[in-house]
């Protein structure tokens, strides 16, 4: 059973979920780039969004979503919790409760692209680089 969605500012706790998720799913990132983003995620990225998270049965964070006024800015699930509906629950919350209709995804992250496309999103644009100017193309998706 999926726990309740909680608003949180536990940047350090969620950064650990982010780190484990990225190590597991972002094989296109170099080790150096994972460390670069990891250093920035809790101090630069998370304070700029509203964070909502779900705990597992042991009371530990297992998934979270970061929302701006217009879009999903981040959605990460701990690898040990993947496939259990946490990501879907958070995305449904963002769409139904917050009216979110947009998300960006790394072009190389085929699992994430499939996840969003299976939930009705389609590609509306593409950038050659990510928000940091690194050569990781970004796909813009909309419902």
């Amino acid at each position: 059973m999926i726990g309740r969605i909680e608003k949180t500012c536990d940047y350090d706790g969620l950064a650990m979920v982010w780190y484990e998720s990225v190590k597991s799913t972002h094989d296109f990132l170099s080790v150096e780039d994972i460390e670069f983003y990891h250093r920035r995620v809790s101090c630069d990225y998370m304070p700029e969004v509203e964070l909502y998270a779900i705990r597992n049965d042991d009371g530990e964070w297992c998934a979270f979503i970061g929302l701006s006024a217009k879009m999903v800015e981040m959605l990460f699930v701990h690898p040990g919790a993947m496939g259990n509906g946490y990501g879907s629950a958070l995305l449904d919350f963002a769409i139904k409760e917050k009216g979110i209709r947009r998300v960006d995804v790394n072009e190389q992250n085929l699992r994430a692209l499939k996840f969003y496309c299976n939930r009705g999103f389609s590609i509306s644009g593409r950038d050659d680089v990510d928000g940091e100017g690194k050569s990781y193309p970004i796909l813009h998706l909309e419902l």
Side-chain angles (χ1 to χ4, degrees):
M1 180 176 159
I2 296 175
R4 71 180 174 89
I5 296 172
E6 303 175 42
K7 188 170 184 177
T8 184
C9 291
D10 182 3
Y11 302 150
D12 291 337
L14 298 184
M16 290 308 302
V17 173
W18 178 92
Y19 186 70
E20 294 301 324
S21 178
V22 167
K23 283 193 324 183
S24 166
T25 59
H26 289 58
D27 57 355
F28 54 91
L29 291 177
S30 69
V31 171
E32 294 80 17
D33 281 337
I34 290 174
E35 292 306 320
F36 168 81
Y37 294 114
H38 188 225
R39 286 189 301 274
R40 301 208 48 210
V41 72
S42 62
C43 61
D44 294 332
Y45 305 147
M46 288 182 178
E48 299 299 317
V49 298
E50 284 188 14
L51 292 166
Y52 298 89
I54 302 174
R55 297 178 188 274
N56 62 20
D57 292 338
D58 295 328
E60 300 167 339
W61 297 123
C62 64
F64 74 93
I65 193 167
L67 306 174
S68 66
K70 298 181 182 179
M71 66 187 292
V72 173
E73 299 288 347
M74 55 183 80
L75 173 58
F76 291 94
V77 179
H78 190 280
M82 288 180 183
N84 292 315
Y86 295 109
S88 294
L90 288 165
L91 185 60
D92 287 347
F93 168 81
I95 294 167
K96 293 175 184 169
E97 301 297 323
K98 299 295 183 175
I100 301 295
R101 315 281 298 166
R102 296 176 36 216
V103 64
D104 288 348
V105 66
N106 290 101
E107 184 176 65
Q108 301 100 318
N109 191 344
L110 300 179
R111 183 176 181 161
L113 179 60
K114 181 179 177 183
F115 171 81
Y116 291 114
C117 288
N118 284 342
R119 283 149 186 86
F121 285 81
S122 57
I123 298 170
S124 61
R126 181 185 184 275
D127 292 329
D128 291 334
V129 295
D130 69 10
E132 296 292 341
K134 293 184 179 279
S135 58
Y136 298 113
I138 298 295
L139 297 176
H140 307 291
L141 308 176
E142 292 186 28
L143 264 178

